[in-house]
Amino acid sequence: MKKDSRYFDIDLKALDLFFLAVGDVDDYRQFAVTTLEELRKLISFDQAVAIFTDVSQKVVDFHLSGVSEKWGYAYLEYYSRMQAQFSMGINKERSRQNTRTPIKPILWDKLPDNSFITDCIHTRGLHYSLDLPLYDTLGHSRLVLAMDRTRKEPYSERDVGIVNLLAPHLDNMHRKFFLVSGGNFKINSRKDALMEMGALTKREKEVVSCLCEGAAPAEIGEMLHISQATAYRHIANIYKKFHVNNLQELLLRFLV
């Protein structure tokens, strides 16, 4: 049987080292930085941008690699305005059950000019990009890793194959930040709050994380594979343990 040309020459030891390096990171921003650093060992690219978004898909932060800071802000300004036209992997209808859309290279020279391409892409000298979106537990794209080439060398089938091979595993690693800590909020560091958090069961901690992400009980049931009635029961137990009467009072204990 003929081997798949995308995968036959991938070094399994290199993949193991990749997952060890990325899986060892427990800081969200550093996760993005380390992932790009390790991806560069598997795929050659000239510049890279990590774009962080909130649940409404608004760009809230970024990390640049090989990109001038002045262009970074301009790039994000345009990207946030144009993200509906240029894929950032954002799909508001996506659920955890959906199949991930295969990642394909962006060929900037083949796209029609507009202000985004003229003022940012061409100014940066980009010819090709591979955008890897990563999702939270609600199915929202919250981090996009853009790997860019300024040289006129297209991404090969092997390069694209590696990214698509890694994508679902990176998705799982990425989601843990939202399942454990909510990703877009900080757990209050007061001693009494931490002690109370310790009184929660593992499932109740997962429910708290979902509530802090803005999930409704029906969504929590779907995310955690439990019934809506069970989700409500967990929420009632959480309220009781924290001596609060409603969701607003609960969130005030955790969100800063």
Side-chain angles (χ1 to χ4, degrees):
M1 182 180 293
K2 184 178 179 180
K3 293 183 178 180
D4 190 326
S5 62
R6 293 176 299 171
Y7 304 131
F8 74 94
D9 61 345
I10 294 178
D11 187 337
L12 295 180
K13 183 178 180 180
L15 289 180
D16 286 341
L17 292 174
F18 173 88
F19 287 120
L20 283 173
V22 175
D24 220 21
V25 180
D26 56 11
D27 176 79
Y28 185 48
R29 184 180 177 84
Q30 188 58 44
F31 168 79
V33 175
T34 300
T35 300
L36 283 174
E37 290 174 348
E38 295 301 316
L39 280 170
R40 193 184 290 275
K41 298 176 182 178
L42 301 174
I43 303 165
S44 176
F45 47 90
D46 306 317
Q47 301 177 357
V49 179
I51 302 171
F52 302 86
T53 64
D54 60 18
V55 290
S56 65
Q57 307 307 303
K58 179 183 177 182
V59 175
V60 294
D61 199 3
F62 63 91
H63 166 75
L64 306 171
S65 176
V67 183
S68 170
E69 192 78 9
K70 67 176 182 178
W71 290 118
Y73 287 103
Y75 177 67
L76 288 184
E77 180 184 354
Y78 276 108
Y79 222 132
S80 62
R81 288 203 315 237
M82 300 297 293
Q83 61 190 22
Q85 183 171 350
F86 295 106
S87 173
M88 289 179 65
I90 294 169
N91 182 354
K92 295 182 179 180
E93 302 303 320
R94 180 186 184 276
S95 70
R96 295 179 70 191
Q97 286 72 39
N98 293 149
T99 302
R100 184 184 244 282
T101 302
I103 297 165
K104 298 180 180 179
I106 300 173
L107 284 64
W108 294 111
D109 295 339
K110 299 293 185 180
L111 296 178
D113 279 345
N114 56 31
S115 59
F116 174 73
I117 292 181
T118 300
D119 296 345
C120 188
I121 298 301
H122 288 337
T123 304
R124 282 181 59 200
L126 299 188
H127 294 289
Y128 304 97
S129 294
L130 269 177
D131 285 4
L132 169 59
L134 298 175
Y135 301 91
D136 63 16
T137 50
L138 291 174
H140 298 121
S141 173
R142 301 297 294 276
L143 172 63
V144 178
L145 304 176
M147 294 160 280
D148 304 316
R149 281 185 175 177
T150 57
R151 64 187 185 274
K152 292 186 176 181
E153 179 185 341
Y155 283 102
S156 66
E157 286 190 10
R158 175 186 180 278
D159 296 329
V160 178
I162 289 175
V163 172
N164 281 287
L165 179 67
L166 296 178
H169 303 288
L170 287 171
D171 246 344
N172 289 331
M173 292 180 177
H174 177 258
R175 276 197 294 263
K176 74 178 182 181
F177 292 99
F178 295 85
L179 190 59
V180 175
S181 67
N184 59 343
F185 68 91
K186 298 178 181 178
I187 297 295
N188 195 307
S189 60
R190 292 176 303 157
K191 181 178 179 181
D192 59 334
L194 291 176
M195 288 178 64
E196 290 172 331
M197 192 67 176
L200 298 178
T201 65
K202 179 181 178 181
R203 178 64 81 190
E204 288 168 349
K205 291 178 183 179
E206 293 173 343
V207 171
V208 168
S209 291
C210 293
L211 288 171
C212 289
E213 285 188 58
E219 293 175 311
I220 293 174
E222 182 180 348
M223 292 161 58
L224 301 180
H225 306 291
I226 58 178
S227 69
Q228 187 171 339
T230 300
Y232 274 116
R233 185 168 68 250
H234 284 308
I235 293 171
N237 290 336
I238 292 166
Y239 285 0
K240 183 177 180 180
K241 290 183 179 181
F242 280 91
H243 307 291
V244 298
N245 299 310
N246 53 52
L247 179 59
Q248 183 178 7
E249 291 180 7
L250 178 69
L251 295 182
L252 287 174
R253 307 296 293 270
F254 290 94
L255 303 183
V256 295

